[in-house]
Short mmCIF file of all heavy atoms in Angstrom, two decimals:
data_model
loop_
_atom_site.label_atom_id
_atom_site.label_comp_id
_atom_site.label_asym_id
_atom_site.label_seq_id
_atom_site.Cartn_x
_atom_site.Cartn_y
_atom_site.Cartn_z
N ALA A 292 170.02 270.84 -20.05
CA ALA A 292 169.59 269.59 -19.42
C ALA A 292 170.78 268.81 -18.89
O ALA A 292 170.73 268.25 -17.78
CB ALA A 292 168.78 268.75 -20.40
N GLU A 293 171.84 268.78 -19.65
CA GLU A 293 173.04 268.07 -19.19
C GLU A 293 173.66 268.74 -17.98
O GLU A 293 174.16 268.07 -17.06
CB GLU A 293 174.05 267.96 -20.33
CG GLU A 293 173.69 266.90 -21.37
CD GLU A 293 173.48 265.53 -20.73
OE1 GLU A 293 174.33 265.10 -19.92
OE2 GLU A 293 172.44 264.91 -21.02
N ARG A 294 173.65 270.08 -17.94
CA ARG A 294 174.19 270.77 -16.76
C ARG A 294 173.37 270.44 -15.52
O ARG A 294 173.92 270.26 -14.42
CB ARG A 294 174.23 272.28 -17.01
CG ARG A 294 175.27 272.72 -18.00
CD ARG A 294 175.56 274.21 -17.90
NE ARG A 294 174.43 275.05 -18.22
CZ ARG A 294 174.08 275.40 -19.46
NH1 ARG A 294 174.75 274.94 -20.50
NH2 ARG A 294 173.05 276.20 -19.65
N TRP A 295 172.05 270.35 -15.68
CA TRP A 295 171.20 269.96 -14.56
C TRP A 295 171.51 268.54 -14.12
O TRP A 295 171.58 268.26 -12.91
CB TRP A 295 169.72 270.07 -14.95
CG TRP A 295 169.12 271.40 -14.61
CD1 TRP A 295 168.96 272.47 -15.44
CD2 TRP A 295 168.61 271.79 -13.34
NE1 TRP A 295 168.38 273.51 -14.77
CE2 TRP A 295 168.14 273.13 -13.48
CE3 TRP A 295 168.49 271.17 -12.10
CZ2 TRP A 295 167.57 273.83 -12.42
CZ3 TRP A 295 167.91 271.87 -11.05
CH2 TRP A 295 167.46 273.18 -11.21
N ARG A 296 171.71 267.65 -15.05
CA ARG A 296 172.03 266.26 -14.68
C ARG A 296 173.37 266.18 -13.96
O ARG A 296 173.51 265.46 -12.97
CB ARG A 296 172.05 265.38 -15.93
CG ARG A 296 170.67 265.15 -16.53
CD ARG A 296 170.73 264.14 -17.66
NE ARG A 296 169.39 263.96 -18.25
CZ ARG A 296 169.04 264.35 -19.45
NH1 ARG A 296 169.94 264.93 -20.26
NH2 ARG A 296 167.82 264.16 -19.90
N ASP A 297 174.35 266.94 -14.45
CA ASP A 297 175.66 266.93 -13.80
C ASP A 297 175.57 267.49 -12.38
O ASP A 297 176.21 266.97 -11.45
CB ASP A 297 176.65 267.77 -14.61
CG ASP A 297 177.03 267.12 -15.93
OD1 ASP A 297 176.80 265.90 -16.07
OD2 ASP A 297 177.54 267.84 -16.81
N ALA A 298 174.76 268.54 -12.20
CA ALA A 298 174.69 269.20 -10.91
C ALA A 298 173.75 268.51 -9.93
O ALA A 298 174.04 268.44 -8.73
CB ALA A 298 174.25 270.66 -11.09
N GLU A 299 172.61 267.97 -10.42
CA GLU A 299 171.56 267.49 -9.53
C GLU A 299 171.14 266.05 -9.79
O GLU A 299 170.24 265.55 -9.12
CB GLU A 299 170.33 268.40 -9.66
CG GLU A 299 170.54 269.81 -9.14
CD GLU A 299 170.81 269.84 -7.63
OE1 GLU A 299 170.10 269.16 -6.87
OE2 GLU A 299 171.76 270.54 -7.23
N GLY A 300 171.75 265.39 -10.76
CA GLY A 300 171.34 264.03 -11.10
C GLY A 300 171.49 263.03 -9.98
O GLY A 300 170.83 261.98 -10.00
N HIS A 301 172.30 263.34 -8.98
CA HIS A 301 172.47 262.42 -7.85
C HIS A 301 171.28 262.45 -6.90
O HIS A 301 171.12 261.54 -6.07
CB HIS A 301 173.75 262.75 -7.08
CG HIS A 301 173.75 264.12 -6.46
ND1 HIS A 301 173.79 265.29 -7.20
CD2 HIS A 301 173.70 264.51 -5.15
CE1 HIS A 301 173.78 266.33 -6.39
NE2 HIS A 301 173.72 265.89 -5.14
N ARG A 302 170.44 263.50 -7.02
CA ARG A 302 169.31 263.60 -6.10
C ARG A 302 168.02 264.06 -6.78
O ARG A 302 167.05 264.41 -6.12
CB ARG A 302 169.65 264.55 -4.95
CG ARG A 302 170.01 265.97 -5.37
CD ARG A 302 170.39 266.80 -4.17
NE ARG A 302 170.73 268.18 -4.54
CZ ARG A 302 171.04 269.12 -3.67
NH1 ARG A 302 171.02 268.85 -2.36
NH2 ARG A 302 171.36 270.34 -4.07
N ALA A 303 168.01 264.04 -8.10
CA ALA A 303 166.81 264.45 -8.83
C ALA A 303 166.76 263.73 -10.17
O ALA A 303 167.79 263.35 -10.74
CB ALA A 303 166.80 265.96 -9.05
N TRP A 304 165.53 263.53 -10.67
CA TRP A 304 165.32 263.09 -12.04
C TRP A 304 165.32 264.33 -12.93
O TRP A 304 164.60 265.30 -12.64
CB TRP A 304 163.98 262.37 -12.18
CG TRP A 304 163.88 261.06 -11.48
CD1 TRP A 304 164.44 259.87 -11.84
CD2 TRP A 304 163.14 260.79 -10.27
NE1 TRP A 304 164.11 258.88 -10.95
CE2 TRP A 304 163.31 259.41 -9.97
CE3 TRP A 304 162.36 261.57 -9.42
CZ2 TRP A 304 162.72 258.81 -8.88
CZ3 TRP A 304 161.78 260.97 -8.31
CH2 TRP A 304 161.96 259.60 -8.05
N VAL A 305 166.09 264.31 -13.97
CA VAL A 305 166.14 265.43 -14.91
C VAL A 305 165.86 264.88 -16.30
O VAL A 305 166.54 263.96 -16.76
CB VAL A 305 167.51 266.14 -14.89
CG1 VAL A 305 167.53 267.29 -15.89
CG2 VAL A 305 167.85 266.63 -13.48
N PHE A 306 164.86 265.44 -16.98
CA PHE A 306 164.54 264.97 -18.31
C PHE A 306 163.92 266.06 -19.15
O PHE A 306 163.32 267.00 -18.63
CB PHE A 306 163.62 263.74 -18.28
CG PHE A 306 162.58 263.74 -17.20
CD1 PHE A 306 161.30 264.20 -17.44
CD2 PHE A 306 162.89 263.28 -15.92
CE1 PHE A 306 160.34 264.19 -16.42
CE2 PHE A 306 161.93 263.28 -14.91
CZ PHE A 306 160.67 263.73 -15.17
N THR A 307 164.12 265.95 -20.44
CA THR A 307 163.52 266.91 -21.35
C THR A 307 162.06 266.56 -21.56
O THR A 307 161.59 265.48 -21.20
CB THR A 307 164.23 266.87 -22.71
OG1 THR A 307 164.02 265.59 -23.32
CG2 THR A 307 165.73 267.13 -22.55
N ARG A 308 161.33 267.49 -22.16
CA ARG A 308 159.92 267.24 -22.45
C ARG A 308 159.76 265.99 -23.31
O ARG A 308 158.91 265.15 -23.03
CB ARG A 308 159.32 268.45 -23.16
CG ARG A 308 157.87 268.25 -23.59
CD ARG A 308 157.45 269.34 -24.55
NE ARG A 308 157.41 270.65 -23.90
CZ ARG A 308 157.57 271.80 -24.55
NH1 ARG A 308 157.80 271.82 -25.83
NH2 ARG A 308 157.49 272.94 -23.88
N ALA A 309 160.60 265.86 -24.33
CA ALA A 309 160.49 264.70 -25.22
C ALA A 309 160.73 263.41 -24.46
O ALA A 309 160.04 262.40 -24.69
CB ALA A 309 161.48 264.84 -26.38
N GLU A 310 161.69 263.41 -23.54
CA GLU A 310 161.97 262.22 -22.75
C GLU A 310 160.81 261.90 -21.81
O GLU A 310 160.45 260.73 -21.62
CB GLU A 310 163.26 262.41 -21.96
CG GLU A 310 164.50 262.42 -22.83
CD GLU A 310 165.73 262.91 -22.07
OE1 GLU A 310 165.59 263.65 -21.08
OE2 GLU A 310 166.85 262.54 -22.50
N ALA A 311 160.22 262.94 -21.21
CA ALA A 311 159.09 262.73 -20.32
C ALA A 311 157.91 262.13 -21.07
O ALA A 311 157.24 261.22 -20.58
CB ALA A 311 158.68 264.05 -19.66
N VAL A 312 157.63 262.64 -22.26
CA VAL A 312 156.52 262.13 -23.06
C VAL A 312 156.80 260.68 -23.47
O VAL A 312 155.92 259.82 -23.36
CB VAL A 312 156.28 263.02 -24.30
CG1 VAL A 312 155.27 262.37 -25.24
CG2 VAL A 312 155.80 264.40 -23.87
N ALA A 313 158.01 260.40 -23.90
CA ALA A 313 158.36 259.04 -24.32
C ALA A 313 158.26 258.06 -23.17
O ALA A 313 157.89 256.89 -23.35
CB ALA A 313 159.76 259.02 -24.92
N ALA A 314 158.58 258.53 -21.96
CA ALA A 314 158.53 257.67 -20.77
C ALA A 314 157.13 257.51 -20.21
O ALA A 314 156.90 256.71 -19.32
CB ALA A 314 159.46 258.22 -19.68
#
Side-chain angles (χ1 to χ4, degrees):
E293 283 305 312
R294 289 198 296 276
W295 268 97
R296 290 187 181 111
D297 290 342
E299 293 295 315
H301 63 291
R302 59 183 181 177
W304 293 285
V305 180
F306 36 95
T307 65
R308 177 193 293 154
E310 290 168 335
V312 171

